[in-house]
Amino acid sequence: QSVLTQPPSVSAAPGQKVTISCSGSSSNIGNNYVSWYQQLPGTAPKLLIYDNNKRPSGIPDRFSGSKSGTSATLGITGLQTGDEADYYCGTWDSSLSALGFGGGTKLTVL
Amino acid sequence: EVQVVESGGGLVQPGGSLRLSCAASGFTFSNYGMNWVRQAPGKGLEWVSYINSGSSTIYYVDSVKGRFTISRDNAKNSLYLQMNSLRAEDTAVYYCARSPRAAAGTSFDYWGQGTLVTVSS
């Protein structure tokens, strides 16, 4: 069972915007940085967002991250069929001294 | 170009052992913390272990404590995971991933392609 909670799936039409939530607690999201990963089918995960809202070089600004209290959100605008993937949030849990991932959210671009 | 390449996966019987390796290139390996992350078939990501640049700080997920050992050889630019007393639930693709900053629990900015470990009789 994951320490972070994500919706199992979200969907939206091409060109639209979608948000993916990640809920935790004070021992993880509340006091640590959140990162987000995209995993396309059959490939390794790829870093999309780090330190709550920063994008690595090469990640388009269609992807954004935010954090408020014990929850974080990944936003994707201008959806493309190539965005269909599983998305994971991750953060350190200070009580467990372990890193936790959310269960993952499958994005479908209809 | 930063690269991390895992090897050493395979089929092993329950109770057996396996040693995974991760070869790093394209960056100063000795300056970075490293991690193992696994993904069971059809399941989500699970962080397994972290080791800092100097091997002085190590963390494990509870489910592998006492059975798995992470280590590194900075002279060989290599990361390892010694897995003992393997169980069926350890079956997964194991990824090597770099931590871009010194502290544990930061993001993972580079990932390998993964190596499959199957525990079955």
Side-chain angles (χ1 to χ4, degrees):
Chain A
Q1 192 165 349
S2 306
V3 297
L4 305 178
T5 301
Q6 297 180 235
S9 63
V10 296
S11 61
Q16 296 300 303
K17 173 182 178 178
V18 71
T19 60
I20 298 173
S21 61
C22 176
S23 176
S25 68
S26 59
S27 66
N28 43 65
I29 291 178
N31 283 284
N32 293 287
Y33 287 121
V34 177
S35 53
W36 289 90
Y37 304 87
Q38 176 193 60
Q39 187 175 32
L40 297 169
T43 70
K46 174 183 176 182
L47 179 64
L48 281 182
I49 297 290
Y50 68 99
D51 290 359
N52 303 330
N53 55 18
K54 296 181 174 63
R55 283 177 288 105
S57 166
I59 300 300
D61 59 7
R62 299 190 299 109
F63 295 90
S64 64
S66 64
K67 187 181 100 167
S68 178
T70 60
S71 293
T73 302
L74 173 70
I76 311 173
T77 59
L79 278 170
Q80 304 172 1
T81 55
D83 296 332
E84 288 202 333
D86 293 322
Y87 293 84
Y88 296 89
C89 58
T91 189
W92 187 253
D93 191 298
S94 305
S95 296
L96 300 175
S97 291
L99 187 129
F101 285 107
T105 299
K106 182 176 182 60
L107 169 63
T108 300
V109 181
L110 302 167
Chain B
E1 179 192 5
V2 172
Q3 277 196 315
V4 289
V5 179
E6 305 91 339
S7 61
L11 175 63
V12 61
Q13 292 189 336
S17 297
L18 211 56
R19 189 195 198 204
L20 305 183
S21 298
C22 171
S25 61
F27 65 102
T28 305
F29 182 72
S30 59
N31 287 349
Y32 290 86
M34 298 295 294
N35 302 265
W36 289 100
V37 177
R38 68 184 178 183
Q39 187 170 33
K43 303 297 184 181
L45 301 175
E46 181 182 37
W47 170 84
V48 173
S49 183
Y50 163 86
I51 185 168
N52 74 338
S53 57
S55 302
S56 59
T57 300
I58 288 174
Y59 297 105
Y60 298 99
V61 68
D62 281 350
S63 59
V64 309
K65 284 179 181 175
R67 300 189 299 124
F68 290 11
T69 302
I70 192 172
S71 63
R72 63 190 295 161
D73 185 335
N74 287 340
K76 295 183 177 179
N77 293 335
S78 294
L79 174 73
Y80 306 102
L81 186 67
Q82 177 66 42
M83 304 186 295
N84 298 331
S85 303
L86 282 162
R87 306 166 181 168
E89 54 265 35
D90 296 318
T91 294
V93 173
Y94 284 73
Y95 295 102
C96 167
R98 189 181 83 165
S99 287
R101 291 209 300 268
T106 60
S107 53
F108 307 134
D109 60 350
Y110 286 94
W111 299 64
Q113 83 291 344
T115 187
L116 176 62
V117 173
T118 303
V119 184
S120 174
S121 54

mmCIF file of all heavy atoms in Angstrom, chain A residues 7-50:
data_model
loop_
_atom_site.group_PDB
_atom_site.id
_atom_site.type_symbol
_atom_site.label_atom_id
_atom_site.label_comp_id
_atom_site.label_asym_id
_atom_site.label_seq_id
_atom_site.Cartn_x
_atom_site.Cartn_y
_atom_site.Cartn_z
ATOM 1 N N PRO A 7 -5.217 9.225 -7.905
ATOM 2 C CA PRO A 7 -6.352 8.571 -8.577
ATOM 3 C C PRO A 7 -5.816 7.539 -9.550
ATOM 4 O O PRO A 7 -4.796 7.773 -10.192
ATOM 5 C CB PRO A 7 -7.031 9.736 -9.311
ATOM 6 C CG PRO A 7 -5.954 10.742 -9.507
ATOM 7 C CD PRO A 7 -5.066 10.624 -8.307
ATOM 8 N N PRO A 8 -6.484 6.400 -9.681
ATOM 9 C CA PRO A 8 -5.982 5.353 -10.583
ATOM 10 C C PRO A 8 -5.937 5.789 -12.047
ATOM 11 O O PRO A 8 -5.058 5.364 -12.797
ATOM 12 C CB PRO A 8 -6.978 4.209 -10.396
ATOM 13 C CG PRO A 8 -7.613 4.470 -9.085
ATOM 14 C CD PRO A 8 -7.655 5.961 -8.932
ATOM 15 N N SER A 9 -6.882 6.627 -12.447
ATOM 16 C CA SER A 9 -6.931 7.027 -13.848
ATOM 17 C C SER A 9 -7.562 8.396 -14.008
ATOM 18 O O SER A 9 -8.356 8.835 -13.162
ATOM 19 C CB SER A 9 -7.722 5.996 -14.660
ATOM 20 O OG SER A 9 -9.062 5.944 -14.220
ATOM 21 N N VAL A 10 -7.154 9.066 -15.065
ATOM 22 C CA VAL A 10 -7.768 10.329 -15.491
ATOM 23 C C VAL A 10 -7.815 10.299 -17.005
ATOM 24 O O VAL A 10 -7.038 9.579 -17.658
ATOM 25 C CB VAL A 10 -6.990 11.573 -15.012
ATOM 26 C CG1 VAL A 10 -6.998 11.672 -13.491
ATOM 27 C CG2 VAL A 10 -5.571 11.580 -15.545
ATOM 28 N N SER A 11 -8.713 11.090 -17.569
ATOM 29 C CA SER A 11 -8.788 11.161 -19.029
ATOM 30 C C SER A 11 -9.244 12.543 -19.451
ATOM 31 O O SER A 11 -9.918 13.254 -18.705
ATOM 32 C CB SER A 11 -9.737 10.092 -19.566
ATOM 33 O OG SER A 11 -11.045 10.297 -19.066
ATOM 34 N N ALA A 12 -8.874 12.905 -20.663
ATOM 35 C CA ALA A 12 -9.274 14.183 -21.229
ATOM 36 C C ALA A 12 -9.036 14.127 -22.736
ATOM 37 O O ALA A 12 -8.318 13.235 -23.227
ATOM 38 C CB ALA A 12 -8.509 15.343 -20.606
ATOM 39 N N ALA A 13 -9.608 15.068 -23.437
ATOM 40 C CA ALA A 13 -9.477 15.109 -24.888
ATOM 41 C C ALA A 13 -8.184 15.808 -25.308
ATOM 42 O O ALA A 13 -7.624 16.607 -24.535
ATOM 43 C CB ALA A 13 -10.676 15.835 -25.489
ATOM 44 N N PRO A 14 -7.711 15.545 -26.506
ATOM 45 C CA PRO A 14 -6.530 16.256 -27.003
ATOM 46 C C PRO A 14 -6.738 17.763 -26.954
ATOM 47 O O PRO A 14 -7.821 18.266 -27.252
ATOM 48 C CB PRO A 14 -6.407 15.758 -28.452
ATOM 49 C CG PRO A 14 -7.059 14.416 -28.446
ATOM 50 C CD PRO A 14 -8.184 14.528 -27.459
ATOM 51 N N GLY A 15 -5.673 18.468 -26.538
ATOM 52 C CA GLY A 15 -5.738 19.916 -26.445
ATOM 53 C C GLY A 15 -6.260 20.435 -25.126
ATOM 54 O O GLY A 15 -6.077 21.612 -24.809
ATOM 55 N N GLN A 16 -6.893 19.562 -24.357
ATOM 56 C CA GLN A 16 -7.442 19.973 -23.065
ATOM 57 C C GLN A 16 -6.387 19.925 -21.964
ATOM 58 O O GLN A 16 -5.224 19.612 -22.202
ATOM 59 C CB GLN A 16 -8.627 19.076 -22.706
ATOM 60 C CG GLN A 16 -9.787 19.202 -23.676
ATOM 61 C CD GLN A 16 -10.326 20.616 -23.729
ATOM 62 O OE1 GLN A 16 -10.725 21.200 -22.715
ATOM 63 N NE2 GLN A 16 -10.330 21.197 -24.923
ATOM 64 N N LYS A 17 -6.816 20.282 -20.745
ATOM 65 C CA LYS A 17 -5.939 20.273 -19.574
ATOM 66 C C LYS A 17 -6.399 19.197 -18.609
ATOM 67 O O LYS A 17 -7.604 18.925 -18.485
ATOM 68 C CB LYS A 17 -5.970 21.634 -18.878
ATOM 69 C CG LYS A 17 -5.212 21.668 -17.559
ATOM 70 C CD LYS A 17 -5.309 23.019 -16.872
ATOM 71 C CE LYS A 17 -4.588 23.017 -15.532
ATOM 72 N NZ LYS A 17 -4.624 24.332 -14.857
ATOM 73 N N VAL A 18 -5.453 18.606 -17.907
ATOM 74 C CA VAL A 18 -5.785 17.618 -16.893
ATOM 75 C C VAL A 18 -4.904 17.867 -15.668
ATOM 76 O O VAL A 18 -3.785 18.386 -15.782
ATOM 77 C CB VAL A 18 -5.575 16.183 -17.432
ATOM 78 C CG1 VAL A 18 -4.095 15.867 -17.594
ATOM 79 C CG2 VAL A 18 -6.229 15.156 -16.538
ATOM 80 N N THR A 19 -5.435 17.520 -14.507
ATOM 81 C CA THR A 19 -4.635 17.587 -13.280
ATOM 82 C C THR A 19 -4.650 16.232 -12.600
ATOM 83 O O THR A 19 -5.654 15.507 -12.649
ATOM 84 C CB THR A 19 -5.149 18.655 -12.305
ATOM 85 O OG1 THR A 19 -6.494 18.362 -11.935
ATOM 86 C CG2 THR A 19 -5.075 20.048 -12.928
ATOM 87 N N ILE A 20 -3.547 15.886 -11.981
ATOM 88 C CA ILE A 20 -3.405 14.640 -11.242
ATOM 89 C C ILE A 20 -3.005 14.986 -9.819
ATOM 90 O O ILE A 20 -2.005 15.682 -9.601
ATOM 91 C CB ILE A 20 -2.356 13.725 -11.890
ATOM 92 C CG1 ILE A 20 -2.789 13.337 -13.300
ATOM 93 C CG2 ILE A 20 -2.148 12.479 -11.035
ATOM 94 C CD1 ILE A 20 -1.731 12.573 -14.086
ATOM 95 N N SER A 21 -3.771 14.508 -8.865
ATOM 96 C CA SER A 21 -3.514 14.836 -7.463
ATOM 97 C C SER A 21 -2.670 13.768 -6.790
ATOM 98 O O SER A 21 -2.632 12.612 -7.211
ATOM 99 C CB SER A 21 -4.839 14.990 -6.720
ATOM 100 O OG SER A 21 -5.565 13.766 -6.758
ATOM 101 N N CYS A 22 -2.001 14.182 -5.723
ATOM 102 C CA CYS A 22 -1.150 13.296 -4.932
ATOM 103 C C CYS A 22 -1.308 13.731 -3.480
ATOM 104 O O CYS A 22 -0.923 14.850 -3.125
ATOM 105 C CB CYS A 22 0.291 13.413 -5.393
ATOM 106 S SG CYS A 22 1.501 12.461 -4.449
ATOM 107 N N SER A 23 -1.904 12.874 -2.677
ATOM 108 C CA SER A 23 -2.213 13.238 -1.298
ATOM 109 C C SER A 23 -1.328 12.460 -0.331
ATOM 110 O O SER A 23 -1.120 11.250 -0.498
ATOM 111 C CB SER A 23 -3.686 12.938 -1.023
ATOM 112 O OG SER A 23 -4.021 13.189 0.307
ATOM 113 N N GLY A 24 -0.841 13.154 0.685
ATOM 114 C CA GLY A 24 0.030 12.510 1.653
ATOM 115 C C GLY A 24 -0.241 12.998 3.062
ATOM 116 O O GLY A 24 -1.396 13.190 3.441
ATOM 117 N N SER A 25 0.830 13.202 3.808
ATOM 118 C CA SER A 25 0.700 13.622 5.203
ATOM 119 C C SER A 25 1.838 14.578 5.567
ATOM 120 O O SER A 25 2.704 14.874 4.744
ATOM 121 C CB SER A 25 0.742 12.392 6.112
ATOM 122 O OG SER A 25 2.033 11.811 6.076
ATOM 123 N N SER A 26 1.839 15.006 6.816
ATOM 124 C CA SER A 26 2.864 15.945 7.263
ATOM 125 C C SER A 26 4.256 15.315 7.275
ATOM 126 O O SER A 26 5.260 16.028 7.195
ATOM 127 C CB SER A 26 2.520 16.480 8.648
ATOM 128 O OG SER A 26 2.422 15.417 9.576
ATOM 129 N N SER A 27 4.330 13.996 7.371
ATOM 130 C CA SER A 27 5.645 13.346 7.432
ATOM 131 C C SER A 27 6.257 13.179 6.044
ATOM 132 O O SER A 27 7.447 12.899 5.921
ATOM 133 C CB SER A 27 5.549 11.986 8.118
ATOM 134 O OG SER A 27 4.780 11.076 7.344
ATOM 135 N N ASN A 28 5.460 13.339 5.003
ATOM 136 C CA ASN A 28 6.014 13.213 3.660
ATOM 137 C C ASN A 28 5.822 14.503 2.850
ATOM 138 O O ASN A 28 6.663 15.411 2.915
ATOM 139 C CB ASN A 28 5.491 11.984 2.933
ATOM 140 C CG ASN A 28 4.006 11.742 3.088
ATOM 141 O OD1 ASN A 28 3.191 12.530 2.644
ATOM 142 N ND2 ASN A 28 3.642 10.637 3.748
ATOM 143 N N ILE A 29 4.717 14.645 2.162
ATOM 144 C CA ILE A 29 4.529 15.835 1.325
ATOM 145 C C ILE A 29 4.606 17.120 2.146
ATOM 146 O O ILE A 29 5.180 18.122 1.701
ATOM 147 C CB ILE A 29 3.189 15.753 0.564
ATOM 148 C CG1 ILE A 29 3.238 14.642 -0.492
ATOM 149 C CG2 ILE A 29 2.870 17.095 -0.103
ATOM 150 C CD1 ILE A 29 1.946 14.455 -1.272
ATOM 151 N N GLY A 30 4.045 17.086 3.345
ATOM 152 C CA GLY A 30 3.977 18.302 4.147
ATOM 153 C C GLY A 30 5.319 18.929 4.470
ATOM 154 O O GLY A 30 5.394 20.136 4.714
ATOM 155 N N ASN A 31 6.386 18.106 4.475
ATOM 156 C CA ASN A 31 7.681 18.638 4.874
ATOM 157 C C ASN A 31 8.831 18.257 3.957
ATOM 158 O O ASN A 31 9.995 18.409 4.343
ATOM 159 C CB ASN A 31 8.004 18.182 6.309
ATOM 160 C CG ASN A 31 7.246 18.957 7.352
ATOM 161 O OD1 ASN A 31 7.569 20.106 7.656
ATOM 162 N ND2 ASN A 31 6.201 18.338 7.887
ATOM 163 N N ASN A 32 8.521 17.787 2.782
ATOM 164 C CA ASN A 32 9.563 17.399 1.835
ATOM 165 C C ASN A 32 9.172 17.774 0.405
ATOM 166 O O ASN A 32 7.998 17.994 0.117
ATOM 167 C CB ASN A 32 9.813 15.887 1.920
ATOM 168 C CG ASN A 32 10.418 15.479 3.246
ATOM 169 O OD1 ASN A 32 11.582 15.732 3.527
ATOM 170 N ND2 ASN A 32 9.596 14.832 4.086
ATOM 171 N N TYR A 33 10.175 17.828 -0.455
ATOM 172 C CA TYR A 33 9.916 18.137 -1.857
ATOM 173 C C TYR A 33 9.229 16.971 -2.565
ATOM 174 O O TYR A 33 9.493 15.801 -2.274
ATOM 175 C CB TYR A 33 11.227 18.446 -2.598
ATOM 176 C CG TYR A 33 11.845 19.768 -2.253
ATOM 177 C CD1 TYR A 33 13.130 19.836 -1.729
ATOM 178 C CD2 TYR A 33 11.159 20.958 -2.486
ATOM 179 C CE1 TYR A 33 13.713 21.054 -1.447
ATOM 180 C CE2 TYR A 33 11.740 22.178 -2.198
ATOM 181 C CZ TYR A 33 13.007 22.226 -1.678
ATOM 182 O OH TYR A 33 13.597 23.429 -1.385
ATOM 183 N N VAL A 34 8.366 17.315 -3.522
ATOM 184 C CA VAL A 34 7.663 16.326 -4.327
ATOM 185 C C VAL A 34 8.239 16.318 -5.739
ATOM 186 O O VAL A 34 8.584 17.372 -6.296
ATOM 187 C CB VAL A 34 6.156 16.633 -4.393
ATOM 188 C CG1 VAL A 34 5.438 15.634 -5.300
ATOM 189 C CG2 VAL A 34 5.549 16.597 -2.990
ATOM 190 N N SER A 35 8.348 15.137 -6.312
ATOM 191 C CA SER A 35 8.748 15.001 -7.705
ATOM 192 C C SER A 35 7.693 14.192 -8.447
ATOM 193 O O SER A 35 6.897 13.470 -7.831
ATOM 194 C CB SER A 35 10.123 14.345 -7.824
ATOM 195 O OG SER A 35 10.172 13.126 -7.121
ATOM 196 N N TRP A 36 7.667 14.339 -9.751
ATOM 197 C CA TRP A 36 6.706 13.637 -10.612
ATOM 198 C C TRP A 36 7.446 12.952 -11.756
ATOM 199 O O TRP A 36 8.421 13.489 -12.301
ATOM 200 C CB TRP A 36 5.695 14.618 -11.196
ATOM 201 C CG TRP A 36 4.709 15.160 -10.207
ATOM 202 C CD1 TRP A 36 4.852 16.290 -9.435
ATOM 203 C CD2 TRP A 36 3.434 14.601 -9.873
ATOM 204 N NE1 TRP A 36 3.733 16.465 -8.650
ATOM 205 C CE2 TRP A 36 2.851 15.448 -8.900
ATOM 206 C CE3 TRP A 36 2.718 13.476 -10.305
ATOM 207 C CZ2 TRP A 36 1.590 15.196 -8.355
ATOM 208 C CZ3 TRP A 36 1.467 13.236 -9.767
ATOM 209 C CH2 TRP A 36 0.910 14.087 -8.809
ATOM 210 N N TYR A 37 6.958 11.761 -12.128
ATOM 211 C CA TYR A 37 7.583 10.952 -13.163
ATOM 212 C C TYR A 37 6.531 10.507 -14.178
ATOM 213 O O TYR A 37 5.391 10.218 -13.813
ATOM 214 C CB TYR A 37 8.260 9.725 -12.544
ATOM 215 C CG TYR A 37 9.261 10.110 -11.490
ATOM 216 C CD1 TYR A 37 8.863 10.292 -10.176
ATOM 217 C CD2 TYR A 37 10.584 10.353 -11.818
ATOM 218 C CE1 TYR A 37 9.755 10.709 -9.205
ATOM 219 C CE2 TYR A 37 11.492 10.764 -10.856
ATOM 220 C CZ TYR A 37 11.066 10.943 -9.551
ATOM 221 O OH TYR A 37 11.955 11.366 -8.597
ATOM 222 N N GLN A 38 6.978 10.433 -15.425
ATOM 223 C CA GLN A 38 6.149 9.919 -16.511
ATOM 224 C C GLN A 38 6.737 8.596 -16.964
ATOM 225 O O GLN A 38 7.941 8.501 -17.198
ATOM 226 C CB GLN A 38 6.165 10.904 -17.680
ATOM 227 C CG GLN A 38 5.415 10.435 -18.919
ATOM 228 C CD GLN A 38 5.734 11.302 -20.131
ATOM 229 O OE1 GLN A 38 6.876 11.401 -20.556
ATOM 230 N NE2 GLN A 38 4.718 11.945 -20.695
ATOM 231 N N GLN A 39 5.890 7.573 -17.076
ATOM 232 C CA GLN A 39 6.355 6.286 -17.579
ATOM 233 C C GLN A 39 5.520 5.897 -18.783
ATOM 234 O O GLN A 39 4.363 5.483 -18.644
ATOM 235 C CB GLN A 39 6.299 5.201 -16.507
ATOM 236 C CG GLN A 39 6.942 3.904 -16.957
ATOM 237 C CD GLN A 39 7.011 2.858 -15.861
ATOM 238 O OE1 GLN A 39 6.150 2.790 -14.986
ATOM 239 N NE2 GLN A 39 8.053 2.040 -15.886
ATOM 240 N N LEU A 40 6.113 6.044 -19.953
ATOM 241 C CA LEU A 40 5.458 5.607 -21.178
ATOM 242 C C LEU A 40 5.470 4.084 -21.224
ATOM 243 O O LEU A 40 6.338 3.452 -20.617
ATOM 244 C CB LEU A 40 6.176 6.196 -22.384
ATOM 245 C CG LEU A 40 6.160 7.726 -22.486
ATOM 246 C CD1 LEU A 40 7.126 8.202 -23.556
ATOM 247 C CD2 LEU A 40 4.758 8.239 -22.760
ATOM 248 N N PRO A 41 4.522 3.483 -21.928
ATOM 249 C CA PRO A 41 4.449 2.016 -21.964
ATOM 250 C C PRO A 41 5.763 1.369 -22.376
ATOM 251 O O PRO A 41 6.373 1.742 -23.377
ATOM 252 C CB PRO A 41 3.353 1.764 -23.006
ATOM 253 C CG PRO A 41 2.491 2.983 -22.949
ATOM 254 C CD PRO A 41 3.434 4.117 -22.688
ATOM 255 N N GLY A 42 6.211 0.414 -21.554
ATOM 256 C CA GLY A 42 7.402 -0.356 -21.870
ATOM 257 C C GLY A 42 8.722 0.367 -21.692
ATOM 258 O O GLY A 42 9.763 -0.129 -22.133
ATOM 259 N N THR A 43 8.703 1.532 -21.038
ATOM 260 C CA THR A 43 9.943 2.288 -20.871
ATOM 261 C C THR A 43 10.203 2.589 -19.398
ATOM 262 O O THR A 43 9.339 2.395 -18.543
ATOM 263 C CB THR A 43 9.900 3.612 -21.649
ATOM 264 O OG1 THR A 43 8.960 4.493 -21.023
ATOM 265 C CG2 THR A 43 9.509 3.392 -23.093
ATOM 266 N N ALA A 44 11.407 3.077 -19.120
ATOM 267 C CA ALA A 44 11.755 3.480 -17.764
ATOM 268 C C ALA A 44 11.085 4.813 -17.421
ATOM 269 O O ALA A 44 10.763 5.607 -18.318
ATOM 270 C CB ALA A 44 13.272 3.626 -17.641
ATOM 271 N N PRO A 45 10.854 5.069 -16.142
ATOM 272 C CA PRO A 45 10.298 6.362 -15.741
ATOM 273 C C PRO A 45 11.215 7.513 -16.133
ATOM 274 O O PRO A 45 12.430 7.345 -16.259
ATOM 275 C CB PRO A 45 10.193 6.242 -14.221
ATOM 276 C CG PRO A 45 10.141 4.779 -13.957
ATOM 277 C CD PRO A 45 11.035 4.169 -14.994
ATOM 278 N N LYS A 46 10.606 8.687 -16.286
ATOM 279 C CA LYS A 46 11.337 9.897 -16.671
ATOM 280 C C LYS A 46 10.920 11.025 -15.733
ATOM 281 O O LYS A 46 9.730 11.186 -15.449
ATOM 282 C CB LYS A 46 10.978 10.252 -18.107
ATOM 283 C CG LYS A 46 11.534 11.567 -18.635
ATOM 284 C CD LYS A 46 11.005 11.786 -20.040
ATOM 285 C CE LYS A 46 11.419 13.100 -20.629
ATOM 286 N NZ LYS A 46 10.839 13.294 -21.993
ATOM 287 N N LEU A 47 11.905 11.784 -15.259
ATOM 288 C CA LEU A 47 11.607 12.889 -14.340
ATOM 289 C C LEU A 47 10.921 14.036 -15.081
ATOM 290 O O LEU A 47 11.445 14.545 -16.076
ATOM 291 C CB LEU A 47 12.909 13.380 -13.709
ATOM 292 C CG LEU A 47 12.793 14.547 -12.733
ATOM 293 C CD1 LEU A 47 11.966 14.169 -11.500
ATOM 294 C CD2 LEU A 47 14.182 15.028 -12.311
ATOM 295 N N LEU A 48 9.760 14.450 -14.565
ATOM 296 C CA LEU A 48 9.006 15.558 -15.152
ATOM 297 C C LEU A 48 9.112 16.837 -14.312
ATOM 298 O O LEU A 48 9.240 17.934 -14.853
ATOM 299 C CB LEU A 48 7.518 15.209 -15.241
ATOM 300 C CG LEU A 48 6.997 14.317 -16.341
ATOM 301 C CD1 LEU A 48 5.480 14.190 -16.182
ATOM 302 C CD2 LEU A 48 7.366 14.860 -17.710
ATOM 303 N N ILE A 49 8.979 16.668 -13.000
ATOM 304 C CA ILE A 49 8.958 17.799 -12.066
ATOM 305 C C ILE A 49 9.778 17.416 -10.840
ATOM 306 O O ILE A 49 9.665 16.284 -10.351
ATOM 307 C CB ILE A 49 7.514 18.128 -11.618
ATOM 308 C CG1 ILE A 49 6.643 18.555 -12.788
ATOM 309 C CG2 ILE A 49 7.522 19.197 -10.505
ATOM 310 C CD1 ILE A 49 6.978 19.908 -13.380
ATOM 311 N N TYR A 50 10.594 18.329 -10.336
ATOM 312 C CA TYR A 50 11.317 18.111 -9.085
ATOM 313 C C TYR A 50 11.154 19.340 -8.192
ATOM 314 O O TYR A 50 10.768 20.412 -8.673
ATOM 315 C CB TYR A 50 12.786 17.779 -9.342
ATOM 316 C CG TYR A 50 13.606 18.925 -9.906
ATOM 317 C CD1 TYR A 50 14.408 19.702 -9.081
ATOM 318 C CD2 TYR A 50 13.592 19.201 -11.272
ATOM 319 C CE1 TYR A 50 15.158 20.745 -9.594
ATOM 320 C CE2 TYR A 50 14.337 20.244 -11.796
ATOM 321 C CZ TYR A 50 15.127 21.008 -10.961
ATOM 322 O OH TYR A 50 15.862 22.041 -11.471
#
